[in-house]
Amino acid sequence: MNTPSLTVIALGGFLIAAGLYLVMERTLTRIVIGLAILGHGVNLLIIAAGGRPGGPPLLQSTAPEQMSDPLPQAMILTAIVIGMVTTAFGMALAYRSWRLTGHDEVIDEVEDRRVARREEREEVLEDLAAESTGELDPGVDYDAEATS
């Protein structure tokens, strides 16, 4: 059995990592590029995991043990089509956002800000409760101003 090359696996992992990094950005263009790179990395890993190369599976003259597995190739072909459509849709969203607002940055929603403020209030309340019960670390000066 032929094992996949370590270089192909490392390249697939690098593409997935780079794609995930770009997806975490706030601009739609980088998100779309990140999704495309992520898709290419996954496709590369699927083709590496597909097994050894062999003869075409549709020819009758090829022995079954010498045929290649057609499933990874079919999955990658489908993934390429879906990735192309996703990229086109994302670029259309980015273009529309740019035309309407002058930039393609994803803004925070009001509900996201409310959740963040609620978490901050809960942390402050927990600190106050810990301070009133005397559970705070005596070596830390909690009244000192934070400098940044």
Side-chain angles (χ1 to χ4, degrees):
M1 177 157 172
N2 189 9
T3 59
S5 171
L6 182 61
T7 307
V8 173
I9 294 173
L11 181 61
F14 176 76
L15 287 175
I16 289 173
L20 286 175
Y21 175 77
L22 287 174
V23 167
M24 299 298 171
E25 294 290 328
R26 296 192 56 88
T27 59
L28 283 173
T29 307
R30 289 186 181 188
I31 291 170
V32 170
I33 291 171
L35 285 174
I37 291 174
L38 183 68
H40 291 309
V42 170
N43 289 344
L44 195 60
L45 290 180
I46 289 174
I47 202 73
R52 62 174 176 72
L58 299 176
L59 294 179
Q60 298 296 330
S61 62
T62 307
E65 59 273 357
Q66 294 177 346
M67 291 182 187
S68 63
D69 186 12
L71 184 62
Q73 298 168 16
M75 288 174 56
I76 290 173
L77 184 61
T78 305
I80 289 170
V81 172
I82 292 171
M84 185 179 68
V85 171
T86 304
T87 302
F89 181 68
M91 292 306 290
L93 285 176
Y95 179 72
R96 179 164 169 78
S97 175
W98 179 74
R99 292 285 289 180
L100 291 176
T101 63
H103 57 81
D104 66 342
E105 186 173 335
V106 178
I107 59 173
D108 287 337
E109 292 183 1
V110 176
E111 188 63 28
D112 291 340
R113 290 187 209 144
R114 284 187 195 150
V115 169
R117 278 191 303 233
R118 183 175 56 207
E119 290 175 357
E120 289 174 3
R121 278 194 303 259
E122 289 174 358
E123 289 176 4
V124 169
L125 290 175
E126 288 174 4
D127 288 344
L128 288 174
E131 186 176 293
S132 66
T133 59
E135 295 177 6
L136 293 178
D137 185 12
V140 177
D141 185 13
Y142 292 102
D143 295 326
E145 291 184 17
T147 59
S148 31

